[in-house]
Amino acid sequence: MMNWVSIGSISDIPRRGARCVATPQGKIAVFRTADDQVFAIEDHCPHKGGPLSQGIVHGAAVTCPLHNWVISLETGKALGADEGAVRTVPVRFEGERLFIALEALASRAA
Amino acid sequence: MTEKLVIIGNGMAPGRMLEHLFEQVPGRYQVTIFNAEPRVNYDRIMLSPVLSGEKAFEEIIIHGDGWYIANGITLYKGHKIVAIDRTAKTVTSDHGVTEPYDKLVIATGSVPFIIPVPGHDLPGVLTYRDLDDVQAMLLAAQSRAKAVVIGGGLLGLEAAAGLNSQGMDVTVLHVMPTLMERQLDPAAGYLLQRAVEQRGIKVITKANTQAITGKGKVEQVELADGTIIPATLVVMAVGIRPNAALAKEAGIAVNRGIVVDAGMRSNDPDIYALGECAEVNGQVYGLVAPLYEMARVAASQLAGNEAAAFVHMDTPTKLKVTGIELFSLGDFAEGEDRQEIVLRDAAAGVYKRLVLRDDRIIGTVLYGETADGAWFNDLKKKQTDISQMRDTLIFGQSYQGGASLDPMAAVAALPDDAEICGCNGVCKGKISGAITAKGLTSLDDVRAHTKASASCGSCTGLVEKLMVLTIGDKYNPAAVQPMCGCTTLGHDEVRRLIKAKGLKTIPAVMQELEWTTSCGCAKCRPALNYYLVCDWPDEYADDYQSRFINERVHANIQKDGTYSVVPRMWGGVTNAAELRAIADVVDKFEIPMVKVTGGQRIDMLGIRKENLPAVWADLGQAGFVSGHAYAKGLRTVKTCVGSDWCRFGTQDSTGFGVRIEKFMWGSWTPAKVKMAVSGCPRNCAEATCKDVGVICVDSGYEIHFAGAAGLDIKGTEVLGLVKTEDEALEHIVALTQMYREQGRYLERIYKWAKRIGIAEIKRQIMDDGEKRRAYFDRFVFSQKFAQVDPWSERVSGKDKHEFRPMASVGFAQAAE
């Protein structure tokens, strides 16, 4: 079952920035790109667990603030020579409102 | 026995002559040069990129001071020769220096032609000839006012483009119906005019200047047809004539220029002339290639080879305006015995025309696409019969014989004697030979050994392709390390273009400088943000999304995602109230770790991001502001107790450290800046391994800089000794501002200083008071916008979104 949970409005997130959503499974980082695409991924770099939400957002990717791994927001995979991936979380718009699929996260976490 | 060689003039031609001469007969001549310009030899063809801001003067120097010293040359800078005494064999300068010679070389160049209209001598009327002219134009451009360039030839258009990119409203007046009519046919002249106009430069052709008027300075230009053009700057670029007056006064034969034979010798056997002032076989020259040829001949003659002779050659003309491709060569007037081949591609903005006589190329005009210029030049030079390839000739070399359109193949197909570098007359075989024989792997090496691409640089692409062909992967094209994968430009070029083109936002930089990514990366965005903050302190809106997290939230991220907080403790001085406030904050927020830092202050580690504003609020109550322990900016000024307490202290080092810190806090710099002030040479504040350090002595303040005690360990260099605290502050601030303006992002002071040169920094900060004060003033101006405590801003609500989660969801469900 997909459980879509409202997390706020797209305008809550700065362009080329991110905000966190606290969930029972840990923090989800929700990103907004320069061209208003929104992505949600686990806020946990596959390298050493750095908070990806604190990184610099460029294109559809984020650079982790701890050791500069670059993570694709679309796939959750590390780009370049690094290997690893974080879980992605489905995002949906209802007008300005943003929803993420929480169950999907829970089931994959299980 | 050494002979005395005296040279009048220090331009490109005599410079090149000396290089040849020292190579052929080292030590034979004792050389003295008199230069009317107060500087060393520089690449005059590159003045246009300096005017447009694409290059700095330092980059166009051919021979620095060291070269003159190494070759034992006496260089009189700013000395104009006023008399040649041919009987006594001496020359005398306007400063009264008289120098005897055995051989004399006159290389006085040319003087710009001034149209003798009324008002031609008003202040604000300039010519375009040397660095002084460029500097005067750059100064005038600061007003962003209107400029008129008289003359639509090569120099006039380059001046117009330069002034335009400096933000001036420019009008070009040209007396002929089309631009550059001596090098271009009317069709290409029209295309050029359109391209120039598209840049926002107005062009008036058939413009007959009647007068320049204004009260005490230029205000307007009047044309014969009554048109009036307002202007605060008028640049005359209508032509040059050989500067032969001095030779004439000395009784040397002068026609248009100083008359010399094919060996560059005048009618006085001990006097030679070369460069733009010389007339050989009835011709005078203005482009660099024949001038360099004269230099080669004169050097051989001076070395004793009397067979060396100058031979006339046609030289291609190229316009050095970024984005306009133009090449012209030879004779392209129409005539009964001539045929022409023309290619027009209006959509691509390409026009090519070949003029043929007896199946041989005699003239070439290429506009919009000039890659085949070298090939056409080669066909013309060799007078190759082109009847076999006539149908496809105009499509260029790569089209011949059905070969692929690969530009690499085109270069590969060039014969060994094809000329690659027109300025220096270097052919393909010489370049590939030097690459192989000397194992050259970088463009700079090839320039050093062959001179190819070392003058105007327009053949750089060809030379690079040749390097790839010759040595393949061993060629290292990144002579300039690009900033990041988003651009091919290096930090210095980007910084210069930001200023030159007046770029004031990150998107504007990326658009104008053709970034290859949509919004940069984590390497270039923070760098660009810093450059823009530094260059436009009052206008640029800091882009927080382009700052590293630490600078965005004004705390240091730790490995577990918590933050550390370091309040400023001015000069390392604190008191009971401050310590008590820190203790209370530690208790209240259960801060797990408190530590004294190396910069004499207190670090609180392990604070959760959400708590940062509350921590800052409590610290702010006690008077603390952010210590910028996270910043590429001024960190700490470490001090010892100085003359107030210490029995050895010579000055109030603590007080001075506090003063520096209060003056300079909040400033952003390319990388972090750590300072220290020690009260005596025992140096308890460890000032001699800091970015900037002060050692107080009885006689004043010894300023040090460029130390390192991190990845590298390096003692400081001494900048100099000053008497008072005020002077010390001014010097330190100016030094920091110089670094702020020139440093590459993340480049510490010691690395910057190594790149720029300690001597150059000393010269600008210690010796040049005007420059020092200008740096100081720019720093002070920028501080007006920088000295805002970021913590109190955030306590009062700025960037709230940074510190709060967007939402908390799903907790009730999980409890089920």
Side-chain angles (χ1 to χ4, degrees), chain B residues 261-307:
Chain B
D261 62 18
M264 309 316 297
R265 199 184 288 245
S266 75
N267 63 332
D268 181 327
D270 290 324
I271 300 182
Y272 297 75
L274 79 162
E276 288 175 332
C277 64
E279 176 180 329
V280 53
N281 298 328
Q283 292 251 30
V284 292
Y285 294 86
L287 293 169
V288 72
L291 305 184
Y292 277 170
E293 177 64 10
M294 293 182 189
R296 192 189 62 76
V297 173
S300 294
Q301 289 278 349
L302 285 168
N305 170 14
E306 298 197 352

Short mmCIF file of all heavy atoms in Angstrom, two decimals, chain B residues 261-307:
data_model
loop_
_atom_site.label_atom_id
_atom_site.label_comp_id
_atom_site.label_asym_id
_atom_site.label_seq_id
_atom_site.Cartn_x
_atom_site.Cartn_y
_atom_site.Cartn_z
N ASP B 261 68.88 49.02 -46.13
CA ASP B 261 69.03 48.02 -47.19
C ASP B 261 68.46 46.68 -46.70
O ASP B 261 67.96 46.59 -45.58
CB ASP B 261 70.50 47.90 -47.61
CG ASP B 261 71.41 47.45 -46.47
OD1 ASP B 261 70.88 46.90 -45.46
OD2 ASP B 261 72.64 47.64 -46.56
N ALA B 262 68.57 45.65 -47.52
CA ALA B 262 67.98 44.36 -47.16
C ALA B 262 68.63 43.77 -45.91
O ALA B 262 68.11 42.86 -45.29
CB ALA B 262 68.07 43.39 -48.32
N GLY B 263 69.80 44.32 -45.52
CA GLY B 263 70.46 43.87 -44.29
C GLY B 263 70.11 44.75 -43.10
O GLY B 263 70.77 44.67 -42.07
N MET B 264 69.11 45.60 -43.23
CA MET B 264 68.59 46.48 -42.20
C MET B 264 69.60 47.59 -41.81
O MET B 264 69.50 48.20 -40.76
CB MET B 264 68.17 45.72 -40.91
CG MET B 264 67.25 44.54 -41.12
SD MET B 264 65.90 44.84 -42.29
CE MET B 264 65.00 46.11 -41.47
N ARG B 265 70.55 47.87 -42.70
CA ARG B 265 71.56 48.86 -42.40
C ARG B 265 71.19 50.19 -43.07
O ARG B 265 70.76 50.21 -44.22
CB ARG B 265 72.90 48.37 -42.96
CG ARG B 265 74.12 49.02 -42.37
CD ARG B 265 75.36 48.49 -43.08
NE ARG B 265 75.66 47.12 -42.72
CZ ARG B 265 76.77 46.76 -42.08
NH1 ARG B 265 77.66 47.65 -41.72
NH2 ARG B 265 77.01 45.50 -41.82
N SER B 266 71.34 51.27 -42.34
CA SER B 266 71.02 52.58 -42.91
C SER B 266 72.21 53.08 -43.73
O SER B 266 73.19 52.35 -43.91
CB SER B 266 70.72 53.58 -41.78
OG SER B 266 71.93 53.95 -41.15
N ASN B 267 72.15 54.32 -44.16
CA ASN B 267 73.27 54.83 -44.94
C ASN B 267 74.49 55.10 -44.07
O ASN B 267 75.55 55.40 -44.56
CB ASN B 267 72.87 56.06 -45.77
CG ASN B 267 72.46 57.22 -44.88
OD1 ASN B 267 71.98 57.00 -43.76
ND2 ASN B 267 72.63 58.44 -45.35
N ASP B 268 74.36 55.04 -42.77
CA ASP B 268 75.51 55.05 -41.86
C ASP B 268 75.80 53.59 -41.51
O ASP B 268 74.95 52.91 -40.92
CB ASP B 268 75.17 55.84 -40.59
CG ASP B 268 76.34 55.90 -39.62
OD1 ASP B 268 77.12 54.93 -39.55
OD2 ASP B 268 76.45 56.93 -38.92
N PRO B 269 76.95 53.08 -41.89
CA PRO B 269 77.20 51.63 -41.77
C PRO B 269 77.14 51.10 -40.33
O PRO B 269 76.99 49.90 -40.13
CB PRO B 269 78.60 51.45 -42.37
CG PRO B 269 79.20 52.81 -42.43
CD PRO B 269 78.07 53.80 -42.53
N ASP B 270 77.26 51.97 -39.33
CA ASP B 270 77.21 51.49 -37.95
C ASP B 270 75.81 51.63 -37.36
O ASP B 270 75.59 51.35 -36.18
CB ASP B 270 78.22 52.25 -37.09
CG ASP B 270 79.64 51.87 -37.45
OD1 ASP B 270 79.85 50.68 -37.77
OD2 ASP B 270 80.51 52.76 -37.44
N ILE B 271 74.87 52.11 -38.17
CA ILE B 271 73.52 52.32 -37.65
C ILE B 271 72.52 51.46 -38.43
O ILE B 271 72.47 51.50 -39.65
CB ILE B 271 73.13 53.81 -37.72
CG1 ILE B 271 74.13 54.64 -36.89
CG2 ILE B 271 71.71 54.00 -37.22
CD1 ILE B 271 73.83 56.11 -36.85
N TYR B 272 71.77 50.68 -37.67
CA TYR B 272 70.73 49.85 -38.25
C TYR B 272 69.37 50.38 -37.81
O TYR B 272 69.25 51.09 -36.82
CB TYR B 272 70.86 48.40 -37.74
CG TYR B 272 72.15 47.71 -38.14
CD1 TYR B 272 73.35 48.02 -37.51
CD2 TYR B 272 72.14 46.77 -39.16
CE1 TYR B 272 74.53 47.39 -37.88
CE2 TYR B 272 73.32 46.13 -39.54
CZ TYR B 272 74.51 46.44 -38.90
OH TYR B 272 75.65 45.81 -39.27
N ALA B 273 68.35 50.02 -38.57
CA ALA B 273 66.99 50.35 -38.11
C ALA B 273 66.12 49.14 -38.38
O ALA B 273 66.33 48.41 -39.36
CB ALA B 273 66.47 51.57 -38.85
N LEU B 274 65.18 48.90 -37.48
CA LEU B 274 64.25 47.82 -37.74
C LEU B 274 62.93 48.13 -37.05
O LEU B 274 62.84 49.02 -36.20
CB LEU B 274 64.79 46.46 -37.27
CG LEU B 274 64.74 46.13 -35.79
CD1 LEU B 274 64.90 44.65 -35.59
CD2 LEU B 274 65.82 46.87 -35.06
N GLY B 275 61.91 47.38 -37.45
CA GLY B 275 60.59 47.58 -36.88
C GLY B 275 59.78 48.55 -37.72
O GLY B 275 60.06 48.76 -38.90
N GLU B 276 58.79 49.14 -37.09
CA GLU B 276 57.84 49.98 -37.83
C GLU B 276 58.48 51.27 -38.33
O GLU B 276 57.93 51.95 -39.18
CB GLU B 276 56.64 50.31 -36.94
CG GLU B 276 55.73 49.11 -36.74
CD GLU B 276 54.59 49.40 -35.76
OE1 GLU B 276 54.77 50.26 -34.87
OE2 GLU B 276 53.54 48.77 -35.88
N CYS B 277 59.66 51.63 -37.78
CA CYS B 277 60.29 52.88 -38.20
C CYS B 277 61.13 52.69 -39.47
O CYS B 277 61.59 53.65 -40.06
CB CYS B 277 61.15 53.47 -37.08
SG CYS B 277 62.55 52.43 -36.65
N ALA B 278 61.33 51.45 -39.87
CA ALA B 278 62.26 51.19 -40.98
C ALA B 278 61.53 51.06 -42.30
O ALA B 278 60.39 50.59 -42.37
CB ALA B 278 63.03 49.89 -40.69
N GLU B 279 62.18 51.50 -43.35
CA GLU B 279 61.64 51.36 -44.70
C GLU B 279 62.62 50.52 -45.50
O GLU B 279 63.77 50.91 -45.67
CB GLU B 279 61.46 52.74 -45.33
CG GLU B 279 60.98 52.66 -46.78
CD GLU B 279 60.79 54.06 -47.40
OE1 GLU B 279 60.45 55.01 -46.67
OE2 GLU B 279 61.01 54.17 -48.61
N VAL B 280 62.15 49.36 -45.96
CA VAL B 280 63.05 48.47 -46.69
C VAL B 280 62.44 48.17 -48.05
O VAL B 280 61.25 47.86 -48.15
CB VAL B 280 63.36 47.19 -45.85
CG1 VAL B 280 62.11 46.50 -45.37
CG2 VAL B 280 64.25 46.23 -46.62
N ASN B 281 63.22 48.34 -49.10
CA ASN B 281 62.75 48.20 -50.48
C ASN B 281 61.49 49.03 -50.72
O ASN B 281 60.55 48.58 -51.37
CB ASN B 281 62.46 46.73 -50.81
CG ASN B 281 63.72 45.89 -50.69
OD1 ASN B 281 64.81 46.38 -50.97
ND2 ASN B 281 63.56 44.65 -50.27
N GLY B 282 61.46 50.21 -50.15
CA GLY B 282 60.33 51.10 -50.39
C GLY B 282 59.07 50.78 -49.60
O GLY B 282 58.05 51.43 -49.76
N GLN B 283 59.12 49.78 -48.74
CA GLN B 283 57.93 49.38 -47.99
C GLN B 283 58.14 49.63 -46.50
O GLN B 283 59.24 49.40 -45.99
CB GLN B 283 57.68 47.87 -48.16
CG GLN B 283 57.28 47.46 -49.55
CD GLN B 283 55.82 47.04 -49.60
OE1 GLN B 283 55.01 47.54 -48.81
NE2 GLN B 283 55.47 46.15 -50.49
N VAL B 284 57.06 50.04 -45.82
CA VAL B 284 57.10 50.03 -44.35
C VAL B 284 56.09 49.00 -43.88
O VAL B 284 55.14 48.67 -44.59
CB VAL B 284 56.78 51.42 -43.74
CG1 VAL B 284 57.89 52.40 -44.04
CG2 VAL B 284 55.45 51.93 -44.23
N TYR B 285 56.29 48.47 -42.69
CA TYR B 285 55.48 47.35 -42.22
C TYR B 285 54.88 47.66 -40.85
O TYR B 285 55.48 48.39 -40.04
CB TYR B 285 56.31 46.08 -42.12
CG TYR B 285 56.79 45.58 -43.47
CD1 TYR B 285 57.96 46.06 -44.04
CD2 TYR B 285 56.03 44.65 -44.18
CE1 TYR B 285 58.39 45.62 -45.28
CE2 TYR B 285 56.46 44.20 -45.42
CZ TYR B 285 57.63 44.68 -45.97
OH TYR B 285 58.03 44.24 -47.19
N GLY B 286 53.71 47.08 -40.59
CA GLY B 286 53.06 47.30 -39.30
C GLY B 286 52.65 46.01 -38.60
O GLY B 286 52.29 46.03 -37.43
N LEU B 287 52.68 44.88 -39.32
CA LEU B 287 52.30 43.62 -38.67
C LEU B 287 53.54 42.92 -38.15
O LEU B 287 54.65 43.17 -38.61
CB LEU B 287 51.57 42.72 -39.67
CG LEU B 287 50.20 43.26 -40.11
CD1 LEU B 287 49.66 42.47 -41.28
CD2 LEU B 287 49.21 43.25 -38.96
N VAL B 288 53.33 42.05 -37.20
CA VAL B 288 54.48 41.57 -36.44
C VAL B 288 55.39 40.62 -37.23
O VAL B 288 56.59 40.60 -37.05
CB VAL B 288 54.03 40.95 -35.10
CG1 VAL B 288 53.34 39.61 -35.33
CG2 VAL B 288 55.19 40.81 -34.15
N ALA B 289 54.80 39.84 -38.14
CA ALA B 289 55.62 38.82 -38.82
C ALA B 289 56.80 39.43 -39.59
O ALA B 289 57.94 39.01 -39.40
CB ALA B 289 54.75 37.96 -39.73
N PRO B 290 56.56 40.43 -40.45
CA PRO B 290 57.73 41.02 -41.14
C PRO B 290 58.67 41.72 -40.17
O PRO B 290 59.89 41.75 -40.42
CB PRO B 290 57.10 42.01 -42.13
CG PRO B 290 55.68 42.17 -41.72
CD PRO B 290 55.29 40.95 -40.97
N LEU B 291 58.15 42.23 -39.07
CA LEU B 291 59.03 42.91 -38.10
C LEU B 291 59.97 41.89 -37.45
O LEU B 291 61.14 42.16 -37.20
CB LEU B 291 58.22 43.64 -37.05
CG LEU B 291 57.20 44.66 -37.59
CD1 LEU B 291 56.52 45.38 -36.43
CD2 LEU B 291 57.84 45.66 -38.52
N TYR B 292 59.42 40.72 -37.15
CA TYR B 292 60.25 39.66 -36.58
C TYR B 292 61.29 39.18 -37.61
O TYR B 292 62.40 38.80 -37.27
CB TYR B 292 59.39 38.49 -36.12
CG TYR B 292 58.79 38.67 -34.74
CD1 TYR B 292 57.81 37.80 -34.26
CD2 TYR B 292 59.22 39.70 -33.89
CE1 TYR B 292 57.27 37.96 -33.00
CE2 TYR B 292 58.68 39.85 -32.63
CZ TYR B 292 57.71 38.98 -32.18
OH TYR B 292 57.19 39.12 -30.92
N GLU B 293 60.89 39.20 -38.88
CA GLU B 293 61.82 38.82 -39.92
C GLU B 293 62.98 39.84 -39.97
O GLU B 293 64.15 39.48 -40.08
CB GLU B 293 61.08 38.75 -41.26
CG GLU B 293 61.94 38.43 -42.48
CD GLU B 293 62.59 37.05 -42.42
OE1 GLU B 293 62.23 36.26 -41.53
OE2 GLU B 293 63.47 36.79 -43.26
N MET B 294 62.63 41.13 -39.83
CA MET B 294 63.67 42.16 -39.76
C MET B 294 64.60 41.88 -38.58
O MET B 294 65.82 42.05 -38.69
CB MET B 294 63.05 43.54 -39.55
CG MET B 294 62.24 44.07 -40.71
SD MET B 294 61.66 45.73 -40.27
CE MET B 294 60.55 46.05 -41.61
N ALA B 295 64.00 41.48 -37.45
CA ALA B 295 64.80 41.21 -36.25
C ALA B 295 65.79 40.08 -36.51
O ALA B 295 66.96 40.15 -36.11
CB ALA B 295 63.88 40.85 -35.09
N ARG B 296 65.31 39.06 -37.23
CA ARG B 296 66.19 37.93 -37.54
C ARG B 296 67.36 38.38 -38.41
O ARG B 296 68.52 38.05 -38.16
CB ARG B 296 65.38 36.84 -38.26
CG ARG B 296 66.05 35.51 -38.40
CD ARG B 296 65.27 34.56 -39.31
NE ARG B 296 65.14 35.07 -40.67
CZ ARG B 296 66.13 35.05 -41.58
NH1 ARG B 296 67.30 34.54 -41.27
NH2 ARG B 296 65.94 35.54 -42.79
N VAL B 297 67.03 39.19 -39.43
CA VAL B 297 68.06 39.66 -40.35
C VAL B 297 69.06 40.55 -39.62
O VAL B 297 70.29 40.37 -39.75
CB VAL B 297 67.41 40.42 -41.53
CG1 VAL B 297 68.49 41.07 -42.39
CG2 VAL B 297 66.54 39.48 -42.35
N ALA B 298 68.55 41.50 -38.84
CA ALA B 298 69.45 42.43 -38.15
C ALA B 298 70.38 41.68 -37.20
O ALA B 298 71.57 41.98 -37.11
CB ALA B 298 68.64 43.47 -37.39
N ALA B 299 69.84 40.67 -36.51
CA ALA B 299 70.66 39.90 -35.58
C ALA B 299 71.78 39.17 -36.34
O ALA B 299 72.94 39.17 -35.92
CB ALA B 299 69.80 38.91 -34.81
N SER B 300 71.41 38.56 -37.47
CA SER B 300 72.42 37.85 -38.26
C SER B 300 73.50 38.81 -38.73
O SER B 300 74.69 38.49 -38.71
CB SER B 300 71.77 37.18 -39.47
OG SER B 300 70.89 36.18 -39.03
N GLN B 301 73.08 39.99 -39.18
CA GLN B 301 74.05 40.99 -39.64
C GLN B 301 74.99 41.38 -38.50
O GLN B 301 76.20 41.42 -38.68
CB GLN B 301 73.32 42.23 -40.16
CG GLN B 301 72.59 42.01 -41.48
CD GLN B 301 73.52 42.13 -42.68
OE1 GLN B 301 74.66 42.56 -42.55
NE2 GLN B 301 73.05 41.72 -43.85
N LEU B 302 74.41 41.65 -37.33
CA LEU B 302 75.23 42.05 -36.19
C LEU B 302 76.16 40.91 -35.76
O LEU B 302 77.21 41.13 -35.18
CB LEU B 302 74.34 42.48 -35.02
CG LEU B 302 73.69 43.86 -35.18
CD1 LEU B 302 72.61 44.06 -34.12
CD2 LEU B 302 74.73 44.97 -35.07
N ALA B 303 75.72 39.69 -36.04
CA ALA B 303 76.54 38.54 -35.68
C ALA B 303 77.62 38.28 -36.73
O ALA B 303 78.43 37.37 -36.59
CB ALA B 303 75.66 37.30 -35.50
N GLY B 304 77.58 39.06 -37.82
CA GLY B 304 78.64 38.94 -38.81
C GLY B 304 78.24 38.25 -40.09
O GLY B 304 79.05 38.09 -40.99
N ASN B 305 76.98 37.83 -40.21
CA ASN B 305 76.54 37.17 -41.42
C ASN B 305 75.97 38.20 -42.39
O ASN B 305 74.81 38.57 -42.32
CB ASN B 305 75.49 36.10 -41.07
CG ASN B 305 74.82 35.55 -42.31
OD1 ASN B 305 75.30 35.74 -43.44
ND2 ASN B 305 73.71 34.87 -42.11
N GLU B 306 76.79 38.66 -43.31
CA GLU B 306 76.37 39.76 -44.16
C GLU B 306 75.46 39.33 -45.29
O GLU B 306 74.92 40.16 -46.02
CB GLU B 306 77.61 40.50 -44.69
CG GLU B 306 78.39 41.09 -43.54
CD GLU B 306 79.38 42.16 -43.97
OE1 GLU B 306 79.55 42.35 -45.18
OE2 GLU B 306 79.95 42.80 -43.07
N ALA B 307 75.25 38.02 -45.42
CA ALA B 307 74.37 37.54 -46.47
C ALA B 307 72.90 37.61 -46.07
O ALA B 307 72.02 37.55 -46.91
CB ALA B 307 74.74 36.09 -46.83
#
